[in-house]
């Protein structure tokens, strides 16, 4: 039978690439539902091409606009809107697979629903796990869900680990997450105050959305990936290392206790990990180009711990700080960073103030350890409020 697939965030880069892979394999996959925030035109075009059963917008105005467009085109798709409708799609009994590609903490609730109802959950939304932490992993276990990482780094780790997940921890020394270093890897740290949003979004290797592109420029994406790796793979924070690898060919590595290293390589194309997640444990064509080793000038690596990199990417060290702190601290960091990136993209703070805003928010927010989804969402809202106040002060 075909996998019935819901794509949460279908108009973003991960969603578009997922549809591209699925279109190559119509015998394997069927689009059941697509969701988007406010991109009515893009979602309408996807409805015309893929004919989902449901299409869901985040708000009523966008939903009504899409509904009118679909009715005018005689499309039979059912159009819904609102956060609850998005969560309902993730938990729908006819759905087998959920691609979680909503950017930010907004993806946590539908991811929890997919976990609770035992779906095959392809996790491209790193913030859902960063915010949800152990509560999210407990929901995956309780619901019997299959959790497959789609971030290129975590997919690489997953592919480099042995199949017997019950015992591999005894054999793993550490994992090594690679980072491209983004667009400012060689830029003088003292000039970063003048960075524009256009410069920050010009990633040298990957085609990504604006938010994750800025995160790559600050390497906060790697901080979130360190946190994500801790929960995905059950590691201690000290067992997670980051190295800068500008070519983005080795996507990440596992070092075993005998000091042998297993790595996963590929071209920088998200269709690779997406295809692996859709087809696991099998493999299917992804559309990504094959590596040509004869054309590689070389693979290089740089320590994150160099003085210049510590100045360029001060936010990366916050990952280990929040993992050693009170449970819920990663949620505070994630909320602060979402506010900081939005403020930067909208010209309210400078690029070099993103880290300051994140750090001050961590120092200002006090909370009890969250024990439920509602408590996490309340902590997220409180942290955003504090971060927005700090952004207003920094922007003056």
């Amino acid at each position: 039978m075909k996998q019935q697939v819901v794509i949460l965030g279908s108009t973003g880069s991960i969603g578009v690439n997922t549809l591209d892979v699925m279109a190559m394999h119509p015998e394997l996959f069927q689009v059941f539902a697509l969701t988007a925030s406010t991109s009515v035109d893009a979602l309408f075009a996807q409805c015309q091409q893929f004919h989902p059963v449901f299409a869901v917008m985040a708000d009523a105005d966008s939903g009504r606009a899409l509904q009118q467009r679909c009715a005018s085109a005689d499309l039979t798709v059912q159009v819904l809107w609102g956060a609850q409708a998005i969560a309902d799609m993730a938990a729908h009994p006819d759905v087998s697979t959920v691609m979680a590609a909503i950017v930010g903490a907004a993806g946590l609730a539908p991811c929890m629903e997919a976990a609770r109802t035992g779906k095959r959950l392809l996790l491209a939304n790193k913030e859902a796990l960063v915010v949800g932490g152990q509560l999210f992993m407990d929901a995956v276990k309780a619901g019997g869900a299959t959790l497959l990482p789609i971030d290129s780094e975590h997919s690489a780790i997953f592919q480099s680990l042995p199949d017997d997940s019950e015992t591999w921890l005894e054999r793993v020394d550490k994992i090594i997450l690679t980072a491209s270093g983004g667009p400012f890897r060689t830029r003088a740290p003292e000039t970063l105050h003048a960075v524009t949003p256009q410069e920050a979004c010009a990633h040298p290797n990957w085609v990504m959305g604006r938010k994750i592109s800025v995160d790559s420029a600050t390497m906060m994406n790697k901080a979130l990936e360190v946190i994500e790796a801790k929960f995905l793979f059950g590691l201690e924070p000290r067992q997670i290392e980051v190295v800068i690898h500008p070519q983005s060919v080795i996507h990440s590595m596992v070092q075993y206790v005998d000091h042998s290293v297993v790595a996963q390589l590929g071209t920088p194309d998200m269709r690779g990990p997406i295809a692996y997640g859709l087809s696991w444990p099998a493999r299917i064509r992804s559309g990504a180009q094959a590596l040509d080793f004869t054309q590689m000038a070389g693979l290089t690596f740089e320590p994150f711990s160099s003085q210049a990199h510590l100045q360029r990417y001060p936010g990366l060290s916050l990952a280990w700080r929040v993992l050693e702190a009170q449970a819920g601290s990663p949620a505070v960091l994630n909320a602060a960073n979402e506010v900081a990136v939005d403020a930067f993209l909208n010209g309210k703070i400078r690029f070099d103030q993103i880290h300051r805003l994140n750090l001050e928010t961590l120092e200002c927010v006090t909370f009890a350890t969250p024990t439920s989804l509602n408590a996490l969402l309340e902590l997220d809202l409180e942290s955003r409020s504090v971060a927005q106040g700090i952004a207003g002060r920094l922007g003056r």
Side-chain angles (χ1 to χ4, degrees), residues 125-172:
N125 174 290
K126 63 173 63 68
E127 293 91 348
L129 187 50
V130 169
V131 176
Q134 194 57 49
L135 283 173
F136 179 77
M137 295 305 296
D138 290 344
V140 169
K141 184 176 181 179
T146 300
L147 183 62
L148 298 166
I150 301 300
D151 268 352
S152 60
E153 296 82 0
H154 300 95
S155 177
I157 297 299
F158 185 74
Q159 294 180 59
S160 300
L161 290 169
D163 292 334
D164 53 332
S165 58
E166 296 298 319
T167 62
W168 63 254
L169 272 177
E170 302 170 5
R171 288 172 273 163
V172 172

Side-chain angles (χ1 to χ4, degrees), residues 31-224:
V31 177
F32 184 82
L34 302 174
T35 85
S37 179
T38 58
S39 301
V40 174
D41 291 345
L43 190 53
F44 174 67
Q46 290 177 345
C47 289
Q48 288 181 302
Q49 181 177 356
F50 294 99
H51 303 283
V53 179
F54 293 96
V56 187
M57 300 299 301
D59 65 80
D61 289 343
S62 299
R64 292 189 184 98
L66 179 64
Q67 189 177 57
Q68 185 175 8
R69 297 280 298 278
C70 290
S72 298
D74 290 327
L75 296 180
T76 57
V77 58
Q78 277 189 257
V79 178
L80 306 172
W81 51 83
Q84 186 58 55
I86 293 173
D88 289 344
M89 290 301 103
H92 198 286
D94 293 340
V95 169
S96 56
T97 302
V98 175
M99 168 59 80
I102 295 175
V103 175
L108 175 58
C111 282
M112 291 286 278
E113 284 299 295
R116 183 185 62 80
T117 51
K119 308 301 185 188
R120 182 190 189 98
L121 178 54
L122 313 185
L123 190 67
N125 174 290
K126 63 173 63 68
E127 293 91 348
L129 187 50
V130 169
V131 176
Q134 194 57 49
L135 283 173
F136 179 77
M137 295 305 296
D138 290 344
V140 169
K141 184 176 181 179
T146 300
L147 183 62
L148 298 166
I150 301 300
D151 268 352
S152 60
E153 296 82 0
H154 300 95
S155 177
I157 297 299
F158 185 74
Q159 294 180 59
S160 300
L161 290 169
D163 292 334
D164 53 332
S165 58
E166 296 298 319
T167 62
W168 63 254
L169 272 177
E170 302 170 5
R171 288 172 273 163
V172 172
D173 180 29
K174 64 181 178 180
I175 64 172
I176 304 166
L177 302 176
T178 58
S180 70
F184 307 133
R185 181 178 62 85
T186 60
R187 181 160 169 165
E190 61 270 18
T191 69
L192 294 179
H193 70 280
V195 164
T196 67
Q198 183 178 5
E199 289 174 316
C201 291
H203 196 282
N205 300 338
W206 299 90
V207 177
M208 304 180 294
R210 282 162 63 82
K211 194 269 181 183
I212 193 172
S213 295
V214 175
D215 281 347
S216 181
T218 62
M219 274 187 51
M220 274 302 300
N221 71 319
K222 209 56 53 178
L224 299 177

